[in-house]
Amino acid sequence: MELARGANTVVDGTSLKVAVNGSAPGTVDLMVFQLDERNQVRNDADFVFFNQPVSPEGAVRLESGGVIEIDIARLPADIHQLSVAVALDAAANGTLSAVGGLGVVVEQPGSTAIVAQALGLTSERAAVLVEIYRRGTDWKVRNVSAGWDSGLADLVTAFGVSVDEEPQSRPDSAESADGIRTVPDEAKLSMVKREKLDLRKREVAKVLLTKGGNGIRARVVLVIDKTGSMAKQYRTRVVHRVVERMVPVAIQLDDDGKLEPYLYAVSFVKLPEISVHDAEEWSDTYLHLRGSHGGFNYDKIGAANREVPIMTEILSGLTRGSAPTLVLFFTDGGFSERKEITKLMREASGLPAFWQFVGIGKANYGVLEKLDDLDGRVVDNAGFFALDDIDTVDDAQLYTRLLSEFPDWHKAAVAAGITTP
């Protein structure tokens, strides 16, 4: 049975399996709102989403693969409606109308499946796909296919979820029993943003714990390629999403939870630090290829690759025996000074920094692909992996690839007297 936009039908039985096609965690987020007769949540616990996947009474469960399990018999008497919705991630471009196959299939044991394609969407970035609601003694499903151009914040506030809580003072960084660090600036984020950040911090902490690196404190340096060949990565805001996904690494490793950022091409520029609460604003201000932004002349940095100046600058601030530094170096390749870079990496192996190079975009990465086999180093101080499309890699995969070698380096560097425990 297929429902047109606005059409409804009675559901059979009390056990429903709702499959949402087109949802993708981190890009198109799936959520369910338990609503009372006012069409509002009773409290924030009625908002079921990726970081709160089960409703208080267990009637609604968000499973992997975009599936929602609903037991109508367990819904409280004061819940009159379930709204199944999706929203584009704040860092994702475009609108829901561009999401292929977006829609819902409601499976009813022993009865016909109900199909509700998302119809008529245009400029919406968040939308209710279907409603499952009481009508007398029956429950019905309606194809809604309507939403909000402005996205998630307007969606959740429309149903009474608090997303902009007053900042809470927190004097110092803190660490939970399971090793998840929190910095004071997180209190300035909305609830929804904090929940997403918490998921990412957990993935970072999990990698470090698995590798025996929990408890390491390190300065975190972020280097981003600003050459002309990176134009697409800037235009499609890939570099913005890189910054967003590196912030949890700094929170988990750095004492103040801040990233120390550089952009480089022929020369380089050191930019203001990135804090968790202003990462989006920072990216909009400073991630550019040309022109003058935030008091910096980007044209003077150039548009071609020269890695030696930026690498030399970072090395100049390192002293053997001091605290560790993790350098996260994002580039689309073009490393032409092979001999000079090889020499620098050998010299750098006696200094307290691990260099994690990440290739973004399809390119020839040259000497970076040979770093694991580079001889003549005190310790192995560098890693490299390529991501043709960083948006297709989930957080667990990304942080595993990004951080797996760092704890091993740290152990070896401590044993060699290069850095502190």
Side-chain angles (χ1 to χ4, degrees):
M1 179 186 301
E2 191 157 348
L3 292 181
R5 189 183 192 189
N8 66 80
T9 189
V10 175
V11 297
D12 295 327
T14 61
S15 179
L16 304 178
K17 181 177 180 180
V18 179
V20 180
N21 300 318
S23 66
T27 304
V28 181
D29 293 322
L30 173 62
M31 59 208 75
V32 183
F33 299 88
Q34 291 193 149
L35 306 174
D36 60 19
E37 59 184 2
R38 303 166 302 147
N39 212 37
Q40 298 283 289
V41 296
R42 298 168 302 175
N43 53 58
D44 288 351
D46 282 332
F47 177 32
V48 179
F49 66 118
F50 54 83
N51 204 31
Q52 189 168 269
V54 183
S55 64
E57 300 81 8
V60 179
R61 306 183 68 89
L62 194 61
E63 306 288 354
S64 60
V67 173
I68 306 159
E69 299 282 355
I70 299 173
D71 185 349
I72 291 175
R74 297 180 67 179
L75 286 171
D78 55 349
I79 293 299
H80 293 259
Q81 179 176 301
L82 303 176
S83 286
V84 177
V86 290
L88 281 173
D89 185 86
N93 292 322
T95 64
L96 289 172
S97 62
V99 178
L102 185 62
V104 175
V105 177
V106 181
E107 297 181 8
Q108 314 171 90
S111 187
T112 304
I114 301 168
V115 178
Q117 292 297 120
L119 303 171
L121 296 178
T122 55
S123 56
E124 295 89 349
R125 287 180 57 84
V128 173
L129 299 181
V130 298
E131 296 170 341
I132 300 169
Y133 59 99
R134 293 183 194 265
R135 277 297 179 268
T137 58
D138 292 328
W139 282 83
K140 305 182 78 173
V141 58
R142 176 188 291 117
N143 183 346
V144 178
S145 295
W148 295 259
D149 292 358
S150 52
L152 178 63
D154 279 0
L155 164 64
V156 297
T157 53
F159 293 129
V161 177
S162 303
V163 296
D164 289 314
E165 300 173 354
E166 289 297 317
Q168 301 171 4
S169 60
R170 193 175 294 171
D172 301 298
S173 300
E175 185 169 320
S176 65
D178 52 0
I180 312 298
R181 296 192 74 236
T182 299
V183 294
D185 281 347
E186 291 180 46
K188 300 175 183 178
L189 297 176
S190 69
M191 183 198 76
V192 173
K193 290 180 179 179
R194 285 207 305 272
E195 296 288 2
K196 177 170 285 190
L197 177 65
D198 284 345
L199 280 182
R200 286 177 167 163
K201 289 194 300 180
R202 287 183 182 280
E203 294 297 343
V204 172
K206 187 186 300 182
V207 175
L208 294 173
L209 180 63
T210 301
K211 295 293 294 185
N214 54 312
I216 297 176
R217 293 292 169 263
R219 167 192 176 208
V220 183
V221 175
L222 176 64
V223 180
I224 301 178
D225 191 334
K226 193 208 73 73
T227 56
S229 58
M230 287 280 292
K232 181 180 179 182
Q233 313 296 339
Y234 280 76
R235 185 178 66 254
T236 59
R237 299 176 69 88
V238 168
V239 288
H240 292 63
R241 296 190 285 281
V242 165
V243 169
E244 180 186 359
R245 295 174 80 175
M246 293 307 103
V247 166
V249 177
I251 292 175
Q252 196 63 30
L253 289 173
D254 197 289
D255 281 332
D256 63 6
K258 296 180 180 179
L259 285 167
E260 182 181 321
Y262 293 81
L263 295 185
Y264 88 95
V266 176
S267 63
F268 62 89
V269 62
K270 182 177 181 180
L271 296 169
E273 288 183 321
I274 306 170
S275 299
V276 60
H277 74 285
D278 65 1
E280 288 182 26
E281 181 181 354
W282 185 97
S283 294
D284 289 338
T285 302
Y286 296 110
L287 291 179
H288 303 279
L289 291 177
R290 292 174 291 276
S292 293
H293 307 276
F296 297 93
N297 186 334
Y298 284 62
D299 296 325
K300 287 186 176 181
I301 306 172
N305 287 76
R306 252 207 101 202
E307 287 72 29
V308 171
I310 178 61
M311 294 177 71
T312 301
E313 169 68 12
I314 294 171
L315 290 173
S316 69
L318 301 175
T319 304
R320 185 182 177 94
S322 61
T325 293
L326 172 61
V327 182
L328 304 173
F329 201 115
F330 286 81
T331 176
D332 72 341
F335 281 44
S336 59
E337 298 174 298
R338 181 187 179 97
K339 290 183 180 179
E340 293 87 346
I341 292 171
T342 300
K343 181 173 181 290
L344 273 177
M345 292 309 299
R346 287 190 175 117
E347 294 173 354
S349 68
L351 293 171
F354 182 79
W355 300 71
Q356 182 60 64
F357 294 94
V358 184
I360 51 176
K362 297 180 180 178
N364 179 9
Y365 298 107
V367 66
L368 296 183
E369 298 178 291
K370 307 296 182 182
L371 287 176
D372 281 341
D373 301 322
L374 183 63
D375 59 10
R377 290 178 293 171
V378 181
V379 294
D380 182 353
N381 63 334
F384 169 77
F385 65 93
L387 296 172
D388 289 343
D389 185 354
I390 194 171
D391 293 329
T392 65
V393 180
D394 65 26
D395 292 326
Q397 292 175 297
L398 177 62
Y399 296 133
T400 296
R401 299 183 74 178
L402 192 76
L403 297 170
S404 287
E405 294 186 60
F406 174 64
D408 293 335
W409 165 82
H410 184 254
K411 292 173 188 174
V414 168
I418 294 171
T419 193
T420 58

